Amino acid sequence: MSLEILAPDLGEIPVFPVTKPDRYDWRDGVLIRTPNWLGDIVMTLPAMMQLRRAVPEKCGIFVACPKGLAPVFHALPDLVDKVVELRDAHRFPTRAEMSEIRALYAGIGILFNNSFRDALWMKAALIPRLYGAAARNRSWLLTRAFQFPKRQDRVLNRPHHAAKYLSMSMALGAPAWDGSLPEFRIPYEPECASDAVRKAVESEHVLAVAPGAAYGAAKRWDTERFQEVCRWWLEEKKGYVVVLSARNEAELASAAVEGLSGDHVIDLAGKTTLTELMKILQNAEMCVANDSGNMHLSAVLGGKGVAPFGPTDPAATSPVSAKWSILFNKQECAPCFKRVCPNGSKKCLTCITAQDVITRIQSLLNG
């Protein structure tokens, strides 16, 4: 197989018959139960933008999401009216959270996940009309269950996740997506930030690198190759390199700048809040990331970037922005969707070189 350079593309949006809820069906608005992963949350945003245009005047868009990911929605005040922060997104809401949800008086609930449990508690929250994908034997709880093809290993799968979310929104009367992205208003108080965060946010010519991937080791491009890209940026572009990751991947991510010294290297692996992470990615001139939440977040914030794909599916989970490039060398076993490479070779990623990524960075910067 040979290396492919793919532009992000949602492909065709599945089409379902449109059934617009009546004004009174909405009550005071719609409650959206988001996915639990940052990248998946970002992929729901085009659908939420279109829902905003379909929801009647004076009705709100409310979201229930994991507490740790709530800052994404707090930075979208024009899109989301209320955020219910779930302390433990893998359990039923607490009594206080259920009271908060019921007080919203939402007439419609949309599940942008496949959870049976979430469909059950939304029903218990007295939301009359529930919509979502047909999954995990929950269809009997839903007013309307949408059927999508089952994922297959070793082939590229359509539709894209964002296309699935859009199709459900459009079935409720939302207009087609025009490709625009939401406007983020990210709070930033320099006096409250660390020196390193201020430097990352306020410097020019920043390369953000995100060597981690919460899903598993199989998705991680070699750290040594991240390091080669960082060294090239420092030497050729004379810019700054900022390393970003979750706390539990900080040691691995920091290895991307091991041996690279100087005040142009800013190691923030595991040291930022989500709000700070968004601000840094918004400022970055370029980003290199695995298929991860950081990749999706950078893209929706309007950044440019390059992502090596291997065991996951660029047809289903590529970024939602055309400012990114996907590098993919299809192997017979890929995409396998495994957290750890079954044979240990990771050949789907090792065949992508640092020079491949550097070449794409140069093209994006010149384009």
Side-chain angles (χ1 to χ4, degrees):
M1 298 293 180
S2 60
L3 181 68
E4 294 183 81
I5 301 168
L6 306 176
D9 176 21
L10 298 195
E12 291 188 12
I13 311 297
V15 177
F16 297 103
V18 177
T19 305
K20 294 183 180 181
D22 293 335
R23 168 63 185 87
Y24 294 104
D25 290 334
W26 294 94
R27 289 183 173 176
D28 285 349
V30 54
L31 175 68
I32 296 169
R33 174 60 172 100
T34 74
N36 289 336
W37 295 90
L38 175 59
D40 290 333
I41 279 180
V42 170
M43 288 187 281
T44 69
L45 295 181
M48 292 178 62
M49 289 177 66
Q50 301 315 105
L51 272 173
R52 177 86 269 177
R53 301 177 183 180
V55 171
E57 189 177 355
K58 296 184 180 180
C59 288
I61 289 185
F62 319 124
V63 299
C65 71
K67 183 179 179 67
L69 298 177
V72 173
F73 296 109
H74 290 311
L76 293 167
D78 295 332
L79 180 61
V80 176
D81 298 293
K82 173 70 177 178
V83 182
V84 179
E85 301 182 13
L86 302 175
R87 186 178 62 184
D88 188 343
H90 299 286
R91 295 180 179 272
F92 286 92
T94 64
R95 183 175 298 179
E97 289 164 353
M98 282 294 280
S99 295
E100 186 178 3
I101 289 164
R102 286 175 176 157
L104 295 172
Y105 198 59
I108 290 174
I110 301 177
L111 293 110
F112 282 153
N113 64 17
N114 293 328
S115 170
F116 178 92
R117 178 193 59 250
D118 289 338
L120 191 60
W121 70 248
M122 288 180 81
K123 203 73 173 176
L126 306 180
I127 301 172
R129 304 173 71 85
L130 300 181
Y131 299 84
R136 299 181 183 173
N137 300 311
R138 69 180 188 178
S139 295
W140 62 277
L141 289 167
L142 306 180
T143 304
R144 188 172 178 186
F146 299 92
Q147 294 281 350
F148 296 104
K150 290 186 177 180
R151 189 190 75 190
Q152 299 181 53
D153 293 350
R154 303 189 179 192
V155 299
L156 299 184
N157 292 262
R158 293 288 190 181
H160 192 285
H161 285 4
K164 292 180 183 180
Y165 303 134
L166 279 164
S167 69
M168 289 188 274
S169 297
M170 291 166 64
L172 293 175
W177 185 45
D178 61 5
S180 61
L181 297 173
E183 180 183 353
F184 283 79
R185 300 183 194 174
I186 305 169
Y188 174 58
E189 298 178 356
E191 63 277 8
C192 297
S194 69
D195 291 344
V197 168
R198 282 200 302 273
K199 192 173 184 179
V201 169
E202 298 171 12
S203 296
E204 295 183 346
H205 307 305
V206 170
L207 170 68
V209 293
Y215 182 78
K219 290 173 68 170
R220 298 179 190 134
W221 194 46
D222 288 349
T223 303
E224 294 79 7
R225 298 186 182 185
F226 271 104
Q227 190 177 90
E228 287 183 56
V229 175
C230 292
R231 181 178 290 107
W232 169 81
W233 186 269
L234 292 169
E235 293 177 355
E236 298 297 324
K237 306 301 291 183
K238 310 300 181 186
Y240 291 80
V241 169
V242 180
V243 185
L244 303 166
S245 80
R247 286 183 178 86
N248 62 350
E249 296 180 301
E251 184 177 353
L252 176 147
S254 294
V257 290
E258 188 175 335
L260 303 178
S261 59
D263 60 2
H264 279 220
V265 176
I266 309 169
D267 186 357
L268 286 171
K271 300 173 185 175
T272 66
T273 66
L274 180 51
T275 300
E276 290 170 340
L277 173 65
M278 289 191 289
K279 197 67 182 176
I280 292 166
L281 290 173
Q282 191 178 54
N283 176 63
E285 183 176 1
M286 183 63 57
C287 181
V288 178
N290 298 312
D291 176 15
S292 61
N294 284 325
M295 175 195 76
H296 287 288
L297 193 57
S298 172
V300 81
L301 288 165
K304 296 179 179 180
V306 180
F309 266 64
T312 50
D313 187 349
T317 60
S318 62
V320 295
S321 167
K323 293 181 179 181
W324 272 68
S325 285
I326 304 303
L327 301 185
F328 183 62
N329 192 323
K330 175 75 172 75
Q331 304 296 313
E332 182 182 349
C333 55
C336 68
F337 304 100
K338 303 295 186 184
R339 293 178 184 268
V340 178
C341 179
N343 61 34
S345 70
K346 290 178 64 173
K347 61 182 179 180
C348 57
L349 283 174
T350 57
C351 61
I352 300 172
T353 69
Q355 187 57 52
D356 292 329
V357 170
I358 290 169
T359 299
R360 286 313 301 161
I361 290 174
Q362 292 172 318
S363 178
L364 288 169
L365 290 175
N366 295 332

